Amino acid sequence: MASSPLSLSIWFFFFFVFVFLIDSSISTRTSFIKLPGSDDGSRYCDSWRLAAETNNAGTWDVIPSVCVDSVADYLNGEQFLSDYNVIADYAIAFAKTVEIPGDGKDVWIFDIDETLLTNIDYYKAHGYGSEPFESNTFNEWVVQGTAPAFDASLRLYNALKKLGFTIILLTGRDEDQRSFTETNLRDAGYSGWERLLLRGPKDQGTSATNYKSEQRSKLIEEGFKIRGNTGDQWSDLLGFAVADRSFKVPNPMYYIA
């Protein structure tokens, strides 16, 4: 039996309503399935940087490619300087509360790269951390010994010396880079440290967290009291034999476990 015109009209009406509802449902669902930052790359990169600095991003190898310009602007801008200065202020404020008897046993530890010395000129040429780290080219940079100091770190360093802290430098650089490192530090304005601890042959292959924890543990065994610790990596600060207070300075260019 042939369908009447009215029946066909009703059938087409419900068909188009059904298609519209399905299409709307799909559109609604897919609007929530978006990559982070797909609407606002700048906002996403600010949020990613916060996640990286607070260690919520976990282990990562290179910065997101969409964030190269954002990281470059941050590192070369006023916000980075402000961030570092605020952290230095907090560190100095804490240091002033520490009672120092003057026996030379009250220690403040500093990392070197991206803590005391800035390698920004090296990383400018390598995508601000968007390229995988290449140890040979970085070591060639270290040998040049031209890395300048951060103004904020030099201010903190000198304030701690004036307060009577014993300064110990603990770096992931290798022992065969000692002379270049010492010269660079002095040229950048640093002086008067008690020890410069570098990786020896037995330390090769040890994670940064374990290596630095082991070195701090040895200091404690010698009777030193680690009052403060400043570094750009969480591996500078975490692990065991940690300081009374640790201060993480900003570095969105790389992550070392």
Side-chain angles (χ1 to χ4, degrees):
M1 185 185 340
S3 300
S4 68
L6 178 61
S7 299
L8 288 174
S9 298
I10 294 173
W11 186 88
F12 278 113
F13 170 78
F14 282 108
F15 174 76
F16 284 116
V17 168
F18 176 77
V19 169
F20 172 79
L21 291 173
I22 290 296
D23 182 68
S24 299
S25 175
I26 292 172
S27 299
T28 301
R29 289 199 303 270
T30 55
S31 67
F32 292 97
I33 305 173
K34 294 182 178 180
L35 293 175
S38 58
D39 287 333
D40 188 338
S42 176
R43 185 179 301 168
Y44 166 66
C45 291
D46 288 345
S47 298
W48 173 84
R49 196 175 70 243
L50 174 64
E53 293 291 359
T54 54
N55 211 23
N56 288 318
T59 302
W60 48 278
D61 296 321
V62 295
I63 67 173
S65 58
V66 297
C67 295
V68 174
D69 290 342
S70 174
V71 168
D73 290 344
Y74 170 70
L75 291 170
N76 293 299
E78 294 298 320
Q79 188 61 55
F80 174 81
L81 299 177
S82 176
D83 291 348
Y84 206 137
N85 272 298
V86 167
I87 293 166
D89 289 341
Y90 276 116
I92 293 170
F94 163 72
K96 289 179 177 178
T97 69
V98 178
E99 294 185 11
I100 301 177
D103 59 2
K105 295 297 185 180
D106 294 279
V107 165
W108 198 288
I109 294 176
F110 281 95
D111 172 56
I112 293 180
D113 292 301
E114 269 57 63
T115 300
L116 295 182
L117 300 177
T118 170
N119 300 298
I120 188 66
D121 288 338
Y122 171 82
Y123 284 99
K124 279 181 182 177
H126 295 86
Y128 290 95
S130 62
E131 300 176 8
F133 179 72
E134 213 293 308
S135 60
N136 290 332
T137 56
F138 183 74
N139 289 337
E140 291 172 1
W141 161 261
V142 168
V143 168
Q144 295 177 31
T146 57
F150 292 104
D151 290 342
S153 63
L154 188 57
R155 177 169 66 86
L156 171 60
Y157 184 97
N158 288 330
L160 294 172
K161 282 203 309 177
K162 188 175 182 179
L163 288 169
F165 286 91
T166 295
I167 306 296
I168 292 181
L169 311 182
L170 176 54
T171 176
R173 292 187 179 193
D174 291 339
E175 181 62 44
D176 61 8
Q177 297 172 328
R178 177 177 294 276
S179 62
F180 306 114
T181 301
E182 289 178 338
T183 299
N184 194 163
L185 287 165
R186 292 192 180 98
D187 289 346
Y190 298 102
S191 63
W193 58 83
E194 177 68 18
R195 297 184 192 178
L196 170 58
L197 303 176
L198 303 100
R199 280 184 184 264
K202 293 182 180 179
D203 302 314
Q204 302 302 316
T206 304
S207 71
T209 302
N210 287 338
Y211 158 66
K212 294 200 169 186
S213 295
E214 290 167 0
Q215 296 301 314
R216 292 194 302 266
S217 182
K218 291 176 182 178
L219 292 172
I220 292 173
E221 290 173 1
E222 292 182 44
F224 290 106
K225 299 178 287 266
I226 304 176
R227 300 303 195 181
N229 187 4
T230 304
D232 67 293
Q233 298 291 315
W234 286 103
S235 55
D236 298 329
L237 312 173
L238 301 180
F240 54 91
V242 298
D244 292 346
R245 280 287 303 274
S246 295
F247 295 87
K248 166 75 168 65
V249 299
N251 176 12
M253 293 186 295
Y254 58 82
Y255 178 92
I256 299 175

